[in-house]
Amino acid sequence: MELIVLGSAAGGGLPQWNCAGGQSAQVWSHSRPAQTQASVAVGNRDSGYIVINASPDLRQQILQTPQLQPTRDHPDGVRNSPIKGVIVTNADVDNVAGLLNLREKQKFDIYGPTKVLEILADNTIFSVLDPDYVTQRSLETGEAIQPIPGLEIELFTVAGKAPLYLEDSLGIETGDLGFTSGVEVRTEHSKTLVISSCAAIDQKLLERIETAEHLLFDGTVFEDNEMQLLGLGNKTGQRMGHLPITGSDGPMARLADCALKTKRFFHINNSNPIWDNQSEAYQTIQTAGWDICHDGMVLTL
Amino acid sequence: MELIVLGSAAGGGLPQWNCAGGQSAQVWSHSRPAQTQASVAVGNRDSGYIVINASPDLRQQILQTPQLQPTRDHPDGVRNSPIKGVIVTNADVDNVAGLLNLREKQKFDIYGPTKVLEILADNTIFSVLDPDYVTQRSLETGEAIQPIPGLEIELFTVAGKAPLYLEDSLGIETGDLGFTSGVEVRTEHSKTLVISSCAAIDQKLLERIETAEHLLFDGTVFEDNEMQLLGLGNKTGQRMGHLPITGSDGPMARLADCALKTKRFFHINNSNPIWDNQSEAYQTIQTAGWDICHDGMVLTL
């Protein structure tokens, strides 16, 4: 089994379409490669793959990931895909927009909390996913499934905030609202956690992390006010529901003693200096035993 | 003024995510470059650009089109964009999904028929486009606007069918249903028609085409049943609301005598052999005075 990082940039990607500053600058000038928005695929050639969150970049991610491409001489004919399912952990555009790329009469399953599937049902645009081919299955937190042989997946709630487009009705407070989930990926050999959004590391989460081999953790911002400092917006990391990497309650401090095999930041905003491997910030996370994820990175599970 | 072809592939793009056959095969094997889904931008550096239809590939299209990228030292600050507006001609996923890439508090206008704007409003996922920044303006067929200096745009109805996800409620008959529009782009020097979907060329359309300098025309399928022949699906071109290029009522036959400066096929399906410039089909359209559009192609208007 392998985990492929399809993309590890936060919403907007790197570079962001309307941003000439921050970390986007170096990408527009071709000094560093572009990175797509956060998503991973887990599986192998024999069992197929499960995509965790369907980013708006999913078509591009399939184009740059040979493991997810259709094959010639397939028993189903020329129309086929190794993608057997997609798990959507919440209803943010960042995590569901990519489903619109998976139209075209291909059989696969969508798994997600009932609340998320209801939002998809309310948005008629998603009915391009023909129910004759695409089955929606509810997957609540705490429930474990085996979507493909050799792989077990369980969602768990994480402190967060309501999706941006529901803020008007639900408010901006963070907490355990049921909208934000981490994903626990279990194989015969290892346990991996994918947590793209986290507003607080509580004791329960800490205990879960301590039993895992691999961690992909919310690396949205390095410092809470970095977007303000770069002129990229008024919101702090905390306001967006993300713990800053360097905060006293952040992952670098709180997870320093966790004996994981690998710790990598994931869901990294285009303001975050850790994108630059020549930066002090990158040196800081490396010294602390962390690295970053990037498009195409593979972890053997 | 220039028209940039951001993409000219029909829905799904080239290659299509779940298709190893047809024209996709050569792209998966890297013998030919990938092509994004149909969209054009019109404008210039001074006035900015108007995007006509927001394809699901819009983020990737901006990444590969320097004219649409933000600039340093912009009076608005590091967050800026040359994209001043987006025209959505219908509510197909192919034409509206890309709007989800244009979140992030950037001022621009969306123009489209009231019926299309209503579908966007009914789909709450589009409320990520904050109305404090993004203004929706109704643009009915027959109404001319000047979205940027030096550019006049008018939509006109074309025979077509209902969007795929409304077929259940509205049926599959083609005709002048008001869902399918062509776009007339006028500058001081020329008139250009962008018609990505057309189920019939009637006398009125023929007269409009005869007064234009440049034509981008529905090139979805070369032959009506090519998808069936390639094992790619059961639908004919006609069933999808597209005139086959070689049909007796198709563009090659009906527009043979139109004295346009340029005639190019646009919205080309991944089944269509004209993608291959070594094919007989490509020779046929070239002999008839046509060419194809491709990502990054520029027309001076």
Side-chain angles (χ1 to χ4, degrees):
Chain A
M1 282 282 159
E2 62 179 1
L3 179 149
I4 309 167
V5 174
L6 302 182
S8 63
L14 180 72
Q16 184 176 304
W17 75 283
N18 65 335
C19 183
Q23 300 300 314
S24 297
Q26 302 254 4
V27 185
W28 292 125
S29 66
H30 304 284
S31 313
R32 268 186 272 140
Q35 300 286 327
T36 60
Q37 292 164 86
S39 174
V40 304
V42 190
N44 61 30
R45 290 264 178 201
D46 291 337
S47 300
Y49 287 84
I50 299 297
V51 171
I52 301 177
N53 286 324
S55 96
D57 293 320
L58 186 52
R59 177 167 182 263
Q60 181 61 22
Q61 291 169 332
I62 294 171
L63 290 187
Q64 59 193 34
T65 309
Q67 294 97 316
L68 300 188
Q69 296 170 5
T71 47
R72 305 216 68 149
D73 306 317
H74 190 283
D76 292 349
V78 291
R79 287 229 170 162
N80 64 81
S81 172
I83 298 175
K84 301 302 171 203
V86 179
I87 294 174
V88 287
T89 59
N90 71 27
D92 262 336
V93 167
D94 304 13
N95 295 340
V96 301
L99 292 172
L100 299 174
N101 290 297
L102 302 184
R103 60 203 193 285
E104 309 294 355
K105 305 204 178 299
Q106 182 66 41
K107 189 175 152 43
F108 72 97
D109 295 319
I110 298 176
Y111 303 88
T114 306
K115 194 183 292 194
V116 176
L117 299 182
E118 281 170 2
I119 293 172
L120 296 183
D122 285 346
N123 280 267
T124 53
I125 193 167
F126 288 102
S127 61
V128 287
L129 298 167
D130 185 342
D132 287 348
Y133 296 86
V134 180
T135 306
Q136 299 200 5
R137 299 175 190 279
S138 104
L139 172 63
E140 305 300 343
T141 51
E143 183 188 348
I145 52 162
Q146 286 194 312
I148 51 175
L151 181 70
E152 200 167 67
I153 288 188
E154 182 181 329
L155 305 191
F156 54 94
T157 55
V158 176
K161 69 160 196 60
L164 194 58
Y165 64 98
L166 295 176
E167 275 188 2
D168 283 349
S169 51
L170 297 171
I172 62 166
E173 296 305 307
T174 59
D176 193 348
L177 303 176
F179 278 108
T180 310
S181 303
V183 185
E184 185 164 306
V185 175
R186 296 190 286 263
T187 67
E188 194 188 345
H189 305 292
S190 68
K191 186 192 282 189
T192 303
L193 302 176
V194 182
I195 302 170
S196 53
S197 192
C198 182
I201 299 171
D202 59 18
Q203 189 55 30
K204 203 166 135 201
L205 180 58
L206 199 58
E207 283 166 17
R208 188 185 289 269
I209 290 173
E210 277 170 343
T211 65
E213 275 73 36
H214 304 288
L215 175 65
L216 278 65
F217 193 86
D218 181 350
T220 310
V221 292
F222 190 67
E223 296 189 277
D224 200 36
N225 63 346
E226 73 191 29
M227 287 185 62
Q228 294 164 341
L229 294 176
L230 292 164
L232 303 184
N234 293 321
K235 286 187 183 171
T236 62
Q238 302 269 13
R239 167 65 182 81
M240 298 187 293
H242 301 288
L243 280 172
I245 289 175
T246 53
S248 56
D249 293 330
M252 223 163 50
R254 291 295 309 282
L255 307 180
D257 297 331
C258 293
L260 291 146
K261 275 192 192 162
T262 68
K263 289 192 276 195
R264 289 178 182 265
F265 289 113
F266 179 69
H267 194 272
I268 305 166
N269 196 36
N270 47 60
S271 56
N272 192 327
I274 63 173
W275 278 123
D276 178 1
N277 64 11
Q278 303 299 309
S279 68
E280 271 185 50
Y282 184 72
Q283 278 181 18
T284 302
I285 64 159
Q286 282 232 306
T287 305
W290 289 79
D291 207 331
I292 64 169
C293 293
H294 55 79
D295 285 24
M297 199 198 85
V298 174
L299 271 181
T300 302
L301 305 186
Chain B
M1 283 281 160
E2 60 180 2
L3 179 149
I4 308 167
V5 174
L6 302 181
S8 63
L14 181 72
Q16 184 175 305
W17 76 283
N18 65 336
C19 184
Q23 300 300 313
S24 298
Q26 304 255 5
V27 184
W28 293 123
S29 66
H30 304 286
S31 314
R32 267 186 273 141
Q35 299 287 328
T36 60
Q37 293 164 87
S39 174
V40 304
V42 190
N44 62 30
R45 290 266 177 200
D46 291 337
S47 300
Y49 287 84
I50 299 297
V51 171
I52 300 177
N53 285 324
S55 98
D57 294 321
L58 185 53
R59 178 166 181 263
Q60 182 60 23
Q61 291 168 332
I62 294 170
L63 290 187
Q64 60 194 33
T65 309
Q67 295 96 317
L68 300 188
Q69 296 170 4
T71 47
R72 306 216 66 149
D73 307 318
H74 191 282
D76 293 349
V78 290
R79 287 229 170 160
N80 64 80
S81 171
I83 298 175
K84 302 302 171 205
V86 179
I87 293 174
V88 286
T89 59
N90 72 26
D92 262 335
V93 167
D94 304 13
N95 294 340
V96 300
L99 291 172
L100 299 173
N101 290 298
L102 302 184
R103 60 205 194 284
E104 309 294 357
K105 303 202 178 301
Q106 182 67 41
K107 189 176 154 38
F108 72 96
D109 296 318
I110 297 176
Y111 303 87
T114 306
K115 193 183 293 194
V116 176
L117 299 183
E118 281 170 1
I119 293 172
L120 295 183
D122 285 346
N123 281 267
T124 54
I125 193 167
F126 288 103
S127 61
V128 288
L129 299 167
D130 185 341
D132 287 350
Y133 296 87
V134 181
T135 307
Q136 299 200 6
R137 300 174 188 280
S138 104
L139 172 62
E140 305 301 342
T141 50
E143 184 187 347
I145 52 163
Q146 286 194 311
I148 50 175
L151 181 69
E152 198 167 67
I153 288 187
E154 182 180 332
L155 304 191
F156 54 94
T157 55
V158 176
K161 70 161 195 61
L164 195 58
Y165 63 99
L166 295 176
E167 276 187 2
D168 283 349
S169 51
L170 297 173
I172 61 166
E173 296 306 305
T174 59
D176 193 349
L177 303 175
F179 278 107
T180 309
S181 304
V183 186
E184 184 163 306
V185 174
R186 295 190 286 263
T187 67
E188 194 188 344
H189 305 291
S190 67
K191 185 194 284 191
T192 302
L193 302 177
V194 182
I195 302 170
S196 52
S197 191
C198 181
I201 300 170
D202 59 17
Q203 189 56 30
K204 204 165 136 203
L205 179 58
L206 198 60
E207 284 167 15
R208 189 184 287 270
I209 291 172
E210 278 171 341
T211 64
E213 275 74 35
H214 304 287
L215 174 65
L216 279 65
F217 193 87
D218 182 349
T220 309
V221 292
F222 190 68
E223 295 188 276
D224 200 34
N225 63 345
E226 73 190 29
M227 288 184 62
Q228 295 164 341
L229 295 176
L230 292 164
L232 303 183
N234 295 321
K235 287 187 183 170
T236 61
Q238 301 270 14
R239 167 65 182 83
M240 299 188 292
H242 301 287
L243 280 172
I245 288 174
T246 53
S248 56
D249 293 330
M252 225 165 47
R254 291 295 308 282
L255 306 180
D257 297 331
C258 293
L260 291 146
K261 277 192 190 161
T262 68
K263 289 192 276 193
R264 288 178 183 264
F265 288 114
F266 179 69
H267 193 273
I268 304 166
N269 197 35
N270 47 61
S271 56
N272 192 328
I274 62 173
W275 279 123
D276 178 0
N277 64 13
Q278 303 299 310
S279 68
E280 270 186 49
Y282 184 71
Q283 279 181 16
T284 303
I285 64 158
Q286 282 231 307
T287 305
W290 289 79
D291 207 332
I292 64 169
C293 293
H294 55 79
D295 285 25
M297 198 199 85
V298 174
L299 271 182
T300 301
L301 303 186

